[in-house]
Amino acid sequence: MSFERAGNAHSSSDQTTVRRANLGVVLQQIAGGEPRSRARVASDTGLTRGTVSSLVGELIELDLLRETGEDQRSGRAGRPGLALELSDRVVAVGLEVNVDYLAVCVEDLAGNVRYQKHVHTDNRRSAPGPVLNRLARLARGAEELIAAESLVSAGIAVALPGLVAAESGTLLRAPNLGWSDIAVADEISSRLGGVPVRVDNEANLAALAEHWQGVARGLDNFICVFAEVGVGAGIFIGGDLFRGSHGFGAELGHITVAPGGLPCQCGAVGCLETIVGQEAIARRAGICEDDKRRARNVTRELVRRAEQGDAAVIASLAEASRALGIGLASAVNLFDVDAVVLGGCLGPLAPWLVADVREALGVRVLSAGWSGCEVLVSEFGEGAAVRGAAALTLRSVLAEPWLVAERSVAVREGVS
Amino acid sequence: MSFERAGNAHSSSDQTTVRRANLGVVLQQIAGGEPRSRARVASDTGLTRGTVSSLVGELIELDLLRETGEDQRSGRAGRPGLALELSDRVVAVGLEVNVDYLAVCVEDLAGNVRYQKHVHTDNRRSAPGPVLNRLARLARGAEELIAAESLVSAGIAVALPGLVAAESGTLLRAPNLGWSDIAVADEISSRLGGVPVRVDNEANLAALAEHWQGVARGLDNFICVFAEVGVGAGIFIGGDLFRGSHGFGAELGHITVAPGGLPCQCGAVGCLETIVGQEAIARRAGICEDDKRRARNVTRELVRRAEQGDAAVIASLAEASRALGIGLASAVNLFDVDAVVLGGCLGPLAPWLVADVREALGVRVLSAGWSGCEVLVSEFGEGAAVRGAAALTLRSVLAEPWLVAERSVAVREGVS
DNA sequence: GGGTTTTGTATGGTCGTTGCACAAACTAAA
DNA sequence: TTTAGTTTGTGCAACGACCATACAAAACCC
């Protein structure tokens, strides 16, 4: 099937390639900071004012940019420029299935959340069908808003807590939901009348959210640990999500930190997840199943007890922070990232974790002397993954603006 | 200093961008397989025959391609095509400084080694100056050959055993040589009359060699463990070397595999390098300094004793293979690569390592059920890093062919 | 109000690819 | 041997996209 042996035999270029690349450059230039005039964009990108004019014209026609009054420059000579801003008409829909809630959000290109809804339901005991029905109902709520405000949807993406095959849109295995081999993309798509749907792992999308509108804004290389019941991670390399050969990368939860430790669900022994996950921390702290069920939210219960000085919880958190430090140090030794973001349940628990993790990175990372690796704490609560799902689409609009033309044509045809 | 917030604000394109990209596409197409006619290249790349003709013309003028007689096709109708092949006139020079040897090689675009020389010297006790003098002498030998056969040198690169800042061409720290902060690129360049010189880490370059002409040919994602005295790795992602934010990535030797283990030179505890390096294996096998000095080549001595059934050596190797398995499983969980290559001293020792490593990857890698990760053994002996140094230049010629014009102009001006 | 500066647009020029046409070179069959 | 059919490589007009330049518009400053 493949005639090319050499790894990166990129496909051939064309003048449309140039146009497309430059559309993306101009749009991203404007997305990345304050509103700017055409002239400013030209001098920042190296393109001519004339070319920028033409590109901007096309982007305005695509509803991606808009002219907003004049440039606010005080007292400089010369004709004032017309400020260009991202349009607020193009939006993306993010969905999320998690163990104990469903979520939806609508976000525009500028990162404003236009609609958001979380529904707490225990999906652990549900079959996939009904859960996806509920999720589709949430999505229809978003679509109604989009129609009512006459916005343009650039796409829908779903965050899932498990191993995902992104190309086929399948959830391969979600141990904490008890699901396996569910074609989530197709299921949701057919429930919404055939619109295209993408899916991805929740940890990947959480990382995307941190880069898009969270604490990792501007960082091109970082690792976002995302712990809930299990422990996953999203890894950003060179400003893009790193997925590995088959999309199964970043399984931080299953690197070995205690060779002689406890057995893990995955079949191995001493995985990080056996010490750092929400369940693991609670179990080691001696919180029994009854307490957990009564508390409804395990993380909040852990925080409450830790704040009260519960020795068992604090000891369990100390153990977790040590394991996390070892695991992250290994990851940083391999990836040489600028920062580590603690997300998911690790956000609220960060006060008891950050110091140990910082110390471990200082001691165990070989290049610590040359390049410090920051430890950041996510500011999204449970919302990281949905926001990331929306961001998945929005980022691709910024990178490949010309696709929205085809997309909206497709939708228009699909609707009519 | 940086006005761009969005990560990948690529620079703007131009029709010369198109030309350059297509020059690369055509050249790589021909590099990746059998000789082909222009028409074949056209249909494989999607370009027009006319365009390919023009591109090939330019590549022939640059001495990168040549027409070799006719296409060997038996019995097909139509005018036969003229087969195009990589020229054998453009070569690159690879150099290597290691703990106990210096090396040089000259390799052409097709991967043929045109010149090669290894000199065994103990550089541990030498100051950098004299060692670099000797290395420069070796390089001049290569340059004489190039002049004698009227070849064209596309560049010189040096493999170094330590932390390298590739942009500045500096060896930051090489614990096993006892060097630090040596501007190797400048030093070598000035000794050779000012030609540009690049430097990189030996493990990175070994990985490059495996991808270029070794066992990892055709694999876009793999990890190459490269152990000599220390343990390093080169990581290929998406067909390219992964370097991390600052070029300090892939420090596999310093991920933690034994939290309560021995202290490492780096200041941490339980690093992989304390169990898997050549010295570590020998020490744990009870081979004393005298024996090592007498043997001259520690690895060969280990192999000899293991073959004779020396229990201490075999036990030490078993311990090493277990640690290596844990470390690699963690790395594969993070990177989701297609293969792991054992290189450096691990090549000869592979018979005692491979089984354990395979088993560990099977058990400890979460996605092992979906995507197997092969364990391959390097077939380069000590030559991997020098070959990789040459490959560094040759790969960049294939990817950016137009640069050879500028380069050879520069050299011509520098010489005359 | 005139001079200066900056912005945004319009126009010709250049570059590189496409699509088409055509001669060259070979096979296969009459 | 001749003829038809097929494939290759090149030449040429056309198109698309960017660049350089010129120019009108809209500010500021004196």
Side-chain angles (χ1 to χ4, degrees):
Chain A
M1 217 23 163
S2 72
F3 49 79
E4 52 195 36
R5 199 185 59 187
N8 31 5
H10 300 106
S11 53
S12 58
S13 294
D14 195 342
Q15 31 248 68
T16 69
T17 317
V18 174
R19 184 68 173 183
R20 289 171 173 186
N22 286 340
L23 282 171
V25 167
V26 167
L27 189 56
Q28 292 192 28
Q29 185 68 228
I30 292 168
E34 296 304 299
R36 295 191 200 0
S37 67
R38 292 167 172 78
R40 178 80 201 284
V41 171
S43 76
D44 284 355
T45 57
L47 293 163
T48 321
R49 289 206 307 273
T51 305
V52 170
S53 240
S54 152
L55 291 163
V56 164
E58 192 167 340
L59 291 170
I60 289 178
E61 281 212 349
L62 289 173
D63 248 334
L64 294 171
L65 286 184
R66 57 179 179 181
E67 269 175 352
T68 65
E70 296 195 351
D71 208 352
Q72 69 307 340
R73 11 158 264 150
S74 45
R76 302 210 309 121
R79 168 177 166 182
L82 291 88
L84 297 165
E85 255 185 3
L86 290 178
S87 140
D88 55 357
R89 293 203 48 219
V90 173
V91 297
V93 177
L95 297 173
E96 179 179 3
V97 179
N98 216 308
V99 176
D100 48 3
Y101 65 90
L102 299 175
V104 59
C105 80
V106 175
E107 189 169 336
D108 66 24
L109 276 180
N112 303 310
V113 178
R114 309 288 284 269
Y115 179 79
Q116 196 162 20
K117 204 162 179 185
H118 278 245
V119 180
H120 282 261
T121 56
D122 192 347
N123 300 318
R124 224 180 299 218
R125 284 162 215 146
S126 289
V131 173
L132 296 178
N133 281 339
R134 272 187 301 244
L135 190 66
R137 209 171 314 139
L138 282 178
R140 272 193 291 273
E143 287 192 328
E144 280 160 21
L145 173 99
I146 290 171
E149 302 195 2
S150 66
L151 305 174
V152 179
S153 167
I156 300 180
V158 188
L160 298 170
L163 224 51
V164 169
E167 308 81 43
S168 67
T170 318
L171 175 62
L172 294 177
R173 184 171 154 230
N176 300 317
L177 282 173
W179 297 5
S180 57
D181 280 311
I182 313 284
V184 176
D186 291 343
E187 295 283 337
I188 296 295
S189 175
S190 68
R191 280 171 175 78
L192 297 178
V195 295
V197 174
R198 296 167 70 184
V199 305
D200 209 331
N201 173 274
E202 57 173 358
N204 279 345
L205 294 177
L208 208 56
E210 298 296 346
H211 184 258
W212 175 249
Q213 292 289 329
V215 292
R217 235 175 318 182
L219 296 179
D220 278 354
N221 300 282
F222 69 94
I223 297 175
C224 176
V225 195
F226 189 79
E228 294 289 356
V229 177
V231 178
I235 298 178
F236 250 73
I237 289 178
D240 261 316
L241 207 47
F242 167 72
R243 286 198 170 78
S245 280
H246 318 89
F248 304 149
E251 286 295 345
L252 190 73
H254 298 278
I255 73 174
T256 307
V257 294
L262 295 176
C264 174
Q265 274 201 334
C266 76
V269 165
C271 295
L272 185 67
E273 192 167 301
T274 64
I275 309 179
V276 174
Q278 198 184 78
E279 301 292 311
I281 294 175
R283 191 173 353 100
R284 284 169 180 259
I287 300 179
C288 63
E289 288 300 314
D290 280 355
D291 286 0
K292 281 201 295 195
R293 220 165 295 143
R294 212 173 311 128
R296 250 189 75 196
N297 183 313
V298 180
T299 302
R300 222 170 296 157
E301 178 67 12
L302 284 170
V303 170
R304 200 180 58 80
R305 295 199 187 193
E307 277 171 348
Q308 288 177 354
D310 183 322
V313 170
I314 288 177
S316 178
L317 284 170
E319 207 171 357
S321 68
R322 236 171 305 145
L324 193 58
I326 290 177
L328 282 175
S330 294
V332 173
N333 266 317
L334 291 174
F335 282 105
D336 180 29
V337 291
D338 301 313
V340 163
V341 179
L342 304 183
C345 76
L346 301 181
L349 295 172
W352 295 273
L353 303 171
V354 169
D356 279 358
V357 171
R358 285 223 174 87
E359 198 209 323
L361 291 182
V363 172
R364 305 192 108 98
V365 173
L366 186 67
S367 60
W370 286 270
S371 64
C373 174
E374 281 185 274
V375 178
L376 305 172
V377 178
S378 171
E379 291 162 358
F380 297 113
E382 284 183 330
V386 228
R387 297 287 305 276
L392 185 69
T393 304
L394 295 170
R395 271 173 56 97
S396 76
V397 171
L398 289 189
E400 306 174 322
W402 69 93
L403 285 180
V404 297
E406 300 169 17
R407 227 176 267 161
S408 53
V409 168
V411 170
R412 228 174 287 145
E413 286 173 357
V415 167
S416 65
Chain B
M1 222 15 168
S2 74
F3 48 79
E4 52 194 36
R5 199 185 60 187
N8 30 5
H10 300 107
S11 52
S12 57
S13 294
D14 196 342
Q15 28 255 77
T16 67
T17 317
V18 173
R19 184 70 174 181
R20 288 172 174 186
N22 286 341
L23 282 170
V25 167
V26 168
L27 189 56
Q28 292 190 28
Q29 186 68 229
I30 293 168
E34 297 303 299
R36 292 191 204 359
S37 67
R38 291 165 172 80
R40 177 80 201 284
V41 171
S43 76
D44 284 357
T45 56
L47 294 163
T48 321
R49 289 206 307 273
T51 305
V52 171
S53 241
S54 151
L55 291 163
V56 164
E58 191 168 340
L59 291 170
I60 289 179
E61 279 212 349
L62 288 173
D63 248 334
L64 294 171
L65 286 184
R66 57 179 180 182
E67 270 175 351
T68 65
E70 296 195 352
D71 207 352
Q72 70 305 341
R73 15 159 260 151
S74 45
R76 301 209 312 119
R79 169 176 164 181
L82 291 85
L84 297 165
E85 256 187 3
L86 290 177
S87 139
D88 56 357
R89 292 203 48 219
V90 173
V91 297
V93 177
L95 297 172
E96 179 179 2
V97 179
N98 216 308
V99 175
D100 49 3
Y101 64 89
L102 299 175
V104 60
C105 79
V106 175
E107 189 169 335
D108 66 24
L109 277 179
N112 303 310
V113 178
R114 309 288 284 269
Y115 179 79
Q116 196 164 18
K117 204 161 179 187
H118 277 245
V119 180
H120 282 261
T121 55
D122 191 347
N123 300 317
R124 222 180 301 219
R125 285 162 214 145
S126 289
V131 174
L132 295 179
N133 282 338
R134 271 188 300 243
L135 189 67
R137 211 171 311 139
L138 281 179
R140 270 193 291 273
E143 288 193 327
E144 280 160 20
L145 172 102
I146 290 171
E149 302 194 3
S150 66
L151 304 174
V152 179
S153 168
I156 301 179
V158 188
L160 297 170
L163 225 51
V164 169
E167 309 80 42
S168 68
T170 317
L171 176 62
L172 293 176
R173 185 171 152 227
N176 299 318
L177 282 172
W179 297 6
S180 57
D181 281 312
I182 312 285
V184 176
D186 291 344
E187 296 281 337
I188 295 294
S189 175
S190 68
R191 281 170 173 79
L192 296 177
V195 295
V197 175
R198 296 167 71 183
V199 306
D200 209 330
N201 172 274
E202 57 173 357
N204 279 345
L205 294 176
L208 208 56
E210 298 296 346
H211 184 260
W212 176 248
Q213 293 289 329
V215 293
R217 235 175 318 184
L219 296 179
D220 279 353
N221 300 282
F222 68 94
I223 298 176
C224 176
V225 195
F226 189 79
E228 294 289 356
V229 177
V231 178
I235 298 177
F236 251 72
I237 289 178
D240 261 317
L241 208 48
F242 167 73
R243 287 199 168 79
S245 280
H246 318 89
F248 304 150
E251 285 295 346
L252 190 73
H254 297 278
I255 73 174
T256 307
V257 294
L262 296 175
C264 175
Q265 273 201 335
C266 76
V269 165
C271 296
L272 185 67
E273 191 167 301
T274 63
I275 308 179
V276 174
Q278 197 184 78
E279 301 292 312
I281 294 174
R283 190 170 355 97
R284 282 168 181 259
I287 300 180
C288 63
E289 288 300 314
D290 281 355
D291 285 1
K292 282 201 296 196
R293 218 163 297 141
R294 214 172 310 128
R296 249 189 75 195
N297 183 314
V298 180
T299 302
R300 222 169 295 158
E301 178 67 12
L302 285 170
V303 171
R304 200 179 58 78
R305 294 200 188 193
E307 278 172 347
Q308 287 177 354
D310 183 322
V313 168
I314 288 177
S316 178
L317 285 170
E319 207 171 0
S321 68
R322 236 171 305 145
L324 192 59
I326 291 177
L328 282 175
S330 293
V332 173
N333 266 318
L334 291 175
F335 282 104
D336 179 29
V337 292
D338 301 312
V340 162
V341 179
L342 304 184
C345 77
L346 301 182
L349 295 172
W352 294 273
L353 304 171
V354 169
D356 279 358
V357 170
R358 285 222 173 89
E359 198 209 324
L361 291 182
V363 173
R364 305 192 106 100
V365 173
L366 186 66
S367 61
W370 287 271
S371 63
C373 174
E374 283 184 274
V375 179
L376 305 172
V377 179
S378 170
E379 290 162 0
F380 297 113
E382 284 183 329
V386 228
R387 297 288 304 275
L392 184 69
T393 305
L394 295 170
R395 270 173 57 98
S396 76
V397 170
L398 289 189
E400 308 174 322
W402 68 92
L403 286 180
V404 298
E406 300 169 17
R407 225 175 269 160
S408 53
V409 167
V411 170
R412 229 174 289 143
E413 284 172 357
V415 168
S416 64

